[in-house]
């Protein structure tokens, strides 16, 4: 099965969500944004924060509320170090597996445990309809629904760390929002691809900036 559409969503899909964030508005600047889903967890997130601090990079962390509940000190470190925090539902709930009422409650639970500090929302697996995305933003709950320009699939245990980086190297471009995962499942694939991307794209003249 060809999964290129997951790694870099096609233009026709992006047009269904014209007010959502897929890429940075970088114009002539060579910029990439790192985002991290599914944390925080002690096995991965502190390492990510250390690497970002080493290179002076700010990123966005779309946190699962139950992980924030279990590891509040890591969440507070994310905030204290100046990174953006986003809502990724409380239980990594997929809209296709729940009703809208339960889904909204799950989002609200995540907001509560994050003390309403999340101004951005990313749906697990990107599962949201244009109508529901508009509801979340028009209600004032979130500034933007955030998708991605590059999903290198660091969660895929069938890929090697080098293959994950190769996905980034092939698809990343000016303005790309890259999704990685500070989760146990992503393991060494994420660690290898993150630092290699920072080094190799930095040498190409890219800056790493937060979403906005």
């Amino acid at each position: 099965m060809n999964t290129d559409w997951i790694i870099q969503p096609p233009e026709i899909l992006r047009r269904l969500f014209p007010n959502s964030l897929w890429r940075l508005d970088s114009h002539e600047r060579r910029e990439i944004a790192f985002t991290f889903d599914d944390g925080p967890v002690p096995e991965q997130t502190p390492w990510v924060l250390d690497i970002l601090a080493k290179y002076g990079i700010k990123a966005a962390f779309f946190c699962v509320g139950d992980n924030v509940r279990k590891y509040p000190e890591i969440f507070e470190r994310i905030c204290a170090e100046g990174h953006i925090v986003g809502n990724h539902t409380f239980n990594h709930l997929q809209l296709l597996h729940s009703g809208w009422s339960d889904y909204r409650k799950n989002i609200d639970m995540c907001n509560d445990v994050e003390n309403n500090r999340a101004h951005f929302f990313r749906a697990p697996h990107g599962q949201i309809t244009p109508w529901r995305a508009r509801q979340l933003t028009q209600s004032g709950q979130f500034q933007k629904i955030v998708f991605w320009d590059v999903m290198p699939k660091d969660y895929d245990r069938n890929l090697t760390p080098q293959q994950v980086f190769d996905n980034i190297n092939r698809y990343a471009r000016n303005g790309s929002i890259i999704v990685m995962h500070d989760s146990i499942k992503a393991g060494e694939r994420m660690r290898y691809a993150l630092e290699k991307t920072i080094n190799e794209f930095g040498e190409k003249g890219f800056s790493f900036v937060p979403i906005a």
Side-chain angles (χ1 to χ4, degrees), residues 69-83:
R69 179 190 64 81
K70 289 187 286 190
Y71 309 112
E73 69 287 350
I74 305 178
F75 178 74
E76 291 301 331
R77 181 182 169 189
I78 292 170
C79 297
E81 295 186 6
H83 300 289

Side-chain angles (χ1 to χ4, degrees), residues 14-172:
R14 299 171 194 239
R15 289 178 183 175
L16 295 174
F17 299 87
N19 297 315
S20 296
L21 189 60
W22 295 86
R23 295 179 65 193
L24 303 172
D25 186 12
S26 292
H27 300 295
E28 299 302 320
R29 302 184 301 276
R30 293 167 66 82
E31 295 178 336
I32 285 174
F34 286 120
T35 64
F36 297 89
D37 286 6
D38 297 356
V41 295
E43 294 85 353
Q44 292 280 61
T45 310
W47 181 91
V48 172
L49 292 170
D50 289 345
I51 291 296
L52 296 178
K54 174 182 174 181
Y55 292 98
I57 295 170
K58 301 301 181 188
F61 289 79
F62 288 87
C63 299
V64 171
D66 197 38
N67 286 338
V68 174
R69 179 190 64 81
K70 289 187 286 190
Y71 309 112
E73 69 287 350
I74 305 178
F75 178 74
E76 291 301 331
R77 181 182 169 189
I78 292 170
C79 297
E81 295 186 6
H83 300 289
I84 292 169
V85 294
N87 185 311
H88 202 46
T89 75
F90 190 82
N91 299 113
H92 203 262
L93 190 64
Q94 298 176 45
L95 183 55
L96 292 179
H97 298 164
S98 67
W100 179 242
S101 178
D102 289 339
Y103 194 75
R104 282 298 301 264
K105 289 177 182 176
N106 211 261
I107 292 172
D108 291 341
M109 288 171 62
C110 185
N111 270 343
D112 289 344
V113 78
E114 291 182 341
N115 294 318
N116 295 305
R117 281 180 277 189
H119 301 295
F120 298 94
F121 177 76
R122 177 178 281 148
H125 299 280
Q127 289 182 7
I128 195 164
T129 65
W131 165 239
R132 297 307 188 187
R134 285 195 298 272
Q135 279 187 288
L136 290 178
T137 54
Q138 289 175 353
S139 69
Q141 190 168 14
F142 299 105
Q143 292 177 12
K144 286 283 186 181
I145 307 301
V146 181
F147 288 94
W148 62 87
D149 188 54
V150 180
M151 173 87 75
K153 299 178 67 180
D154 56 352
Y155 54 81
D156 189 341
R157 292 189 174 98
N158 293 316
L159 298 182
T160 67
Q162 181 62 43
Q163 286 174 317
V164 172
F165 171 74
D166 289 344
N167 284 336
I168 296 172
N169 198 37
R170 177 181 177 185
Y171 289 99

